[in-house]
Amino acid sequence: MKILVDRFIKYVKIDTQSDASSNTTPSTEKQWNLALELVDELKRIGLHEVSIDNNSYVMATLPSNIDKKVPTIGFISHFDTTPDFSGTDVNPQIIENYNGKDIVLNAEKNIVLSPDYFEDLLQYKGQTLITTDGTTLLGADDKAGIAEIITAMEYLILHPEIKHGEIKIAFTPDEEIGRGAHKFDVEKFGAKWAYTMDGSQIGELEYENFNAAGAKVKIAGKSVHPGYAKGKMVNAISIASAFLELLPPEETPQNTENKEGFFHVHHIQGGIESAEFELIVRDHDRDNFENRKALLKNITEKLNELYGNCITLELNDQYYNMSEKIKPVFFIVDIAKEAMETLNIKPIIKPIRGGTDGSQLSFMGLPCPNIFAGGHNFHGKYEYVPVQSMVGAVGVIVKICELTAAKPWKYEPSRKS
């Protein structure tokens, strides 16, 4: 446990925020700092074929220690943290034997992590928690996953009596800005399937996620003196407001759950002469997803007819529901489920209300369900991770490797199966 905690704390203290405005990969130079540290550590613990490419994708291999042929599997996590909250000077706090009460993260700023607001805390009474100091995020998303994967590989190396096939691992940049899989070399990785260790609470096992698109709406207005504006002024702000009013008001993140989709406006700016806003479109059902995009196009056409072709819509798909690619090889979910149950961890199989590198990788030919890494309240100062959940994740990784090797494989499943 100490090795795992020390490893995690070392990682979170290295600032790795990504930057969506950058066109490079990785999007920030500081991501290299952790990537290169991981390369050194993988070599140090004895993994083979350790590599880092020009875009900072880290890969390594744990060779098989059995004679029979079994499928090569993989485990993947990302090392960047969200650009939306500070990841600089992370100062983790360790709360041993959590008593189920408020945790004062920062007395000076009166920042408190309370079970009155974050009810999940009560699940971990008596356990050891790692929290922030109230001024930054923690980075359990997804440095917990990295620490768990490396610790599991080290455990397998130190325990050769546990039989396993060839295991591939990879750590990626820029997942938080939706680019984590963009330059991932699936062929080089060489696994038949993999698991992203990027979920939240212990037991999570996910193979469904949103279909996703991003949209930018730009409006060109015309400014004239308001006293003489009749028939002449085109107020871009008013048109933006009219556009947003035509979206279903109940279909927003704060009003939806489970597999319900939404429109989410996350940036808006402008004046009379120009305005623009950005939104994301999400839905688990592919037909509903296409209908949502069609609605944006119809609103644009309607308002352009009304106001004189002053609106442009940029609409781009981002990723799709990986269940399309997972269901034909559902045994890979069953193996993860069996691993959890063997370790007395109750599987929580539910759809992801978001995205994951696993989605893009699945459509690139690497089926990739998502498994818990243990953290809660990602992307903010209230983020925390129970140490026992991280230990559980290490156990699940090891058990998946062991179970996969023990199966009576008669053939190696094709990525296209």
Side-chain angles (χ1 to χ4, degrees):
M1 184 183 293
K2 184 179 186 303
I3 292 174
L4 175 61
V5 171
D6 290 347
R7 194 167 262 147
F8 173 68
I9 288 177
K10 177 175 67 174
Y11 300 160
V12 300
K13 288 186 175 181
I14 301 174
D15 185 2
T16 56
Q17 281 181 289
S18 46
D19 179 5
S21 67
S22 168
N23 294 319
T24 63
T25 304
S27 62
T28 53
E29 279 295 315
K30 56 190 174 182
Q31 291 184 65
W32 282 103
N33 296 332
L34 180 51
L36 293 170
E37 172 69 27
L38 295 174
V39 168
D40 289 342
E41 188 160 8
L42 295 175
K43 291 178 179 178
R44 205 160 50 238
I45 68 172
L47 288 178
H48 294 209
E49 301 173 349
V50 179
S51 68
I52 184 167
D53 67 13
N54 292 333
N55 297 304
S56 80
Y57 287 75
V58 177
M59 294 186 182
T61 301
L62 178 62
S64 171
N65 65 358
I66 55 175
D67 294 333
K68 71 173 184 176
K69 190 175 183 181
V70 300
T72 297
I73 65 172
F75 297 90
I76 301 168
S77 290
H78 65 89
F79 48 75
D80 68 313
T81 61
T82 180
D84 296 331
F85 204 89
S86 175
T88 305
D89 297 325
V90 173
N91 180 33
Q93 299 186 92
I94 297 179
I95 312 299
E96 296 183 350
N97 194 24
Y98 171 56
N99 61 12
K101 299 180 180 179
D102 288 357
I103 300 172
V104 178
L105 301 177
N106 192 300
E108 181 182 350
K109 297 183 178 181
N110 193 32
I111 299 172
V112 178
L113 178 61
S114 174
D116 291 339
Y117 192 82
F118 300 106
E119 295 179 0
D120 285 343
L121 275 167
L122 296 177
Q123 298 179 54
Y124 306 111
K125 188 175 180 180
Q127 297 189 23
T128 298
L129 307 182
I130 304 176
T131 73
T132 75
D133 68 356
T135 63
T136 69
L137 51 68
L138 179 60
D141 180 14
D142 188 24
K143 293 170 186 176
I146 295 174
E148 292 154 4
I149 292 171
I150 294 180
T151 301
M153 295 302 104
E154 185 175 39
Y155 186 85
L156 288 170
I157 290 169
L158 295 174
H159 293 271
E161 71 276 9
I162 300 174
K163 300 305 177 184
H164 58 81
E166 185 176 62
I167 311 299
K168 301 286 188 175
I169 66 171
F171 306 128
T172 68
D174 293 338
E175 189 270 354
E176 296 292 358
I177 56 174
R179 305 180 202 161
H182 284 191
K183 297 182 180 180
F184 191 100
D185 191 335
V186 170
E187 184 175 355
K188 176 186 174 183
F189 190 56
K192 296 298 182 183
W193 72 85
Y195 302 91
T196 50
M197 301 299 298
D198 195 19
S200 183
Q201 76 179 83
I202 187 168
E204 282 189 352
L205 174 56
E206 301 156 327
Y207 66 90
E208 299 178 83
N209 62 279
F210 279 134
N211 296 290
K216 179 180 287 187
V217 179
K218 297 181 179 180
I219 303 164
K222 184 181 296 183
S223 179
V224 297
H225 190 288
Y228 306 93
K230 186 172 182 179
K232 299 182 179 68
M233 178 183 286
V234 179
N235 191 326
I237 297 175
S238 298
I239 296 171
S241 177
F243 192 111
L244 295 176
E245 286 179 358
L246 291 173
L247 296 177
E250 71 283 359
E251 295 180 11
T252 61
Q254 61 268 37
N255 291 316
T256 52
E257 60 184 353
N258 300 322
K259 293 186 179 182
E260 296 171 341
F262 58 74
F263 298 95
H264 175 47
V265 181
H266 56 88
H267 284 94
I268 187 166
Q269 62 181 11
I272 295 172
E273 287 203 327
S274 66
E276 65 178 61
F277 58 89
E278 297 179 40
L279 68 157
I280 58 175
V281 183
R282 299 289 188 264
D283 210 295
H284 274 83
D285 182 87
R286 180 65 81 97
D287 290 338
N288 290 343
F289 175 62
E290 296 300 330
N291 290 337
R292 289 182 184 281
K293 293 188 294 179
L295 176 60
L296 294 180
K297 294 175 183 177
N298 291 339
I299 292 173
T300 300
E301 292 174 3
K302 177 180 179 179
L303 294 181
N304 272 333
E305 290 178 6
L306 188 61
Y307 293 107
N309 295 318
C310 60
I311 304 172
T312 58
L313 170 67
E314 299 174 11
L315 183 61
N316 297 294
D317 287 357
Q318 296 169 319
Y319 52 82
Y320 302 108
N321 190 340
M322 64 180 169
S323 67
E324 293 181 29
K325 301 299 181 181
I326 301 296
K327 286 180 178 179
V329 288
F330 200 76
F331 63 86
I332 69 179
V333 177
D334 289 334
I335 290 172
K337 181 173 178 285
E338 182 181 351
M340 293 184 192
E341 291 173 338
T342 302
L343 298 171
N344 294 316
I345 296 171
K346 182 180 179 181
I348 304 171
I349 300 177
K350 61 183 182 62
I352 306 171
R353 283 186 61 79
T356 168
D357 275 354
S359 170
Q360 296 184 54
L361 291 169
S362 293
F363 280 86
M364 291 165 65
L366 181 67
C368 211
N370 191 44
I371 294 175
F372 71 92
H376 288 259
N377 303 340
F378 295 149
H379 300 183
K381 59 192 173 187
Y382 297 109
E383 186 180 5
Y384 70 93
V385 61
V387 172
Q388 284 80 354
S389 296
M390 295 177 65
V391 172
V394 173
V396 169
I397 295 169
V398 170
K399 186 57 68 174
I400 287 173
C401 297
E402 185 179 9
L403 288 173
T404 301
K407 299 291 181 184
W409 300 103
K410 296 181 180 178
Y411 65 96
E412 292 195 30
S414 166
R415 293 194 190 102
K416 296 180 180 180
S417 62

